[in-house]
Amino acid sequence: MAARRGRRSAARRRREAWLRAAATSGGLLLLLLVVFWSVIWSYLAAAVLLAGAAAGGWWLWRTDRVLRVRDRHWRHEDAVEAGHRTLTEVDLMTGTEFEDLVASLCRRDGCTEVRRVGGSHDNGADVLGRLPDGRTMVIQCKRYAPTSTIASREVRDLLGAKVHFRADLAVFATTTRFSRPSEAFALEHGILAIHRDHLGLWNNGTPLPALTALNGSGQGDTRHRARWKQAYGN
């Protein structure tokens, strides 16, 4: 019993000694702060500012990371949805819905600042934005029946829109085909002509920049056009 009381007494004395030492150290530190405040305040302020900047930088980095993850998830969902969309379903869209589809495909492929501007007084543009490499683009969208043909005057209107919006690239996206003169006009003036076959490729995952290498191809010869009319004539 006496030994237990002795151990308790020793523990209490050690705790009291530690508290006295802590109080002495705290008092000494406070005294030093008061005496040397004019010298150390600038260092303390700098430390606080650095800590604040570090916290702000960490918060910005984390916010950017969260937004990037959400953006990748959104693009993945959009790509999956686009991959399940058939051209038959596209044919049933309204003109506005087709413009929204084209805008979503642009975003899927990494284009930025994409916005739909189609409507009255649209100055010949339906979608505006920037390509992944930063170039500006203007897009004209025509959701026509597959039996229709894009005439030269419609492509000329797009060329005027390119000049009006000072765009680097003009894109004509349609659910049908281009006439020979309209296709020749597009190639002559550097307009990317996305006809039905290329729209199918784009819709199924081919990125927009890759379609530039296919510009002017895919509409086939006379036999191809005959089969086209046979397929869509009714």
Side-chain angles (χ1 to χ4, degrees):
M1 182 68 70
R4 188 180 301 115
R5 285 197 297 269
R7 287 195 297 272
R8 290 178 178 175
S9 177
R12 185 169 56 253
R13 287 195 298 272
R14 286 195 299 272
R15 184 166 58 252
E16 291 174 352
W18 182 87
L19 290 175
R20 285 195 298 269
T24 301
S25 300
L28 181 60
L29 179 61
L30 180 61
L31 178 63
L32 291 174
L33 286 174
V34 172
V35 173
F36 296 101
W37 177 252
S38 60
V39 177
I40 65 175
W41 76 268
S42 59
Y43 296 100
L44 289 176
V48 171
L49 290 175
L50 287 174
W58 177 85
W59 181 83
L60 290 174
W61 172 82
R62 181 170 179 79
T63 301
D64 179 72
R65 184 178 180 183
V66 170
L67 291 176
R68 285 178 181 275
V69 170
R70 289 178 180 175
D71 182 67
R72 285 196 299 269
H73 180 70
W74 174 81
R75 290 182 187 278
H76 175 71
E77 287 187 341
D78 190 70
V80 170
E81 180 184 354
H84 286 85
R85 190 185 293 115
T86 66
L87 290 183
T88 301
E89 292 174 313
V90 176
D91 289 335
L92 298 176
M93 291 181 174
T94 64
T96 300
E97 290 172 338
F98 181 57
E99 293 168 7
D100 288 332
L101 168 63
V102 169
S104 69
L105 291 175
C106 290
R107 296 189 187 98
R108 181 204 68 188
D109 294 340
C111 298
T112 59
E113 301 177 22
V114 178
R115 63 188 189 279
R116 190 180 66 81
V117 295
S120 59
H121 309 294
D122 59 11
N123 294 306
D126 292 320
V127 176
L128 297 174
R130 288 184 178 274
L131 293 162
D133 59 10
R135 289 181 297 159
T136 56
M137 64 177 179
V138 55
I139 305 178
Q140 178 65 253
C141 305
K142 293 297 182 184
R143 206 285 306 154
Y144 286 166
T147 52
S148 302
T149 304
I150 300 300
S152 297
R153 58 178 175 78
E154 296 182 281
V155 184
R156 285 196 298 270
D157 291 342
L158 176 57
L159 182 61
K162 178 183 179 183
V163 174
H164 176 79
F165 289 100
R166 297 181 176 86
D168 297 313
L169 177 67
V171 181
F172 199 117
T174 181
T175 54
T176 185
R177 60 186 301 275
F178 294 87
S179 67
R180 285 188 178 277
S182 63
E183 184 180 46
F185 184 90
L187 293 176
E188 180 182 356
H189 294 281
I191 296 173
L192 177 56
I194 300 178
H195 52 73
R196 188 177 184 86
D197 293 345
H198 289 170
L199 178 65
L201 293 175
W202 192 18
N203 181 57
N204 289 329
T206 301
L208 178 61
L211 294 177
T212 57
L214 304 176
N215 199 21
S217 65
Q219 296 201 123
D221 53 15
T222 304
R223 287 180 296 177
H224 179 87
R225 290 193 296 275
R227 288 195 297 269
W228 179 292
K229 293 179 180 179
Q230 183 179 5
Y232 298 110
N234 296 325

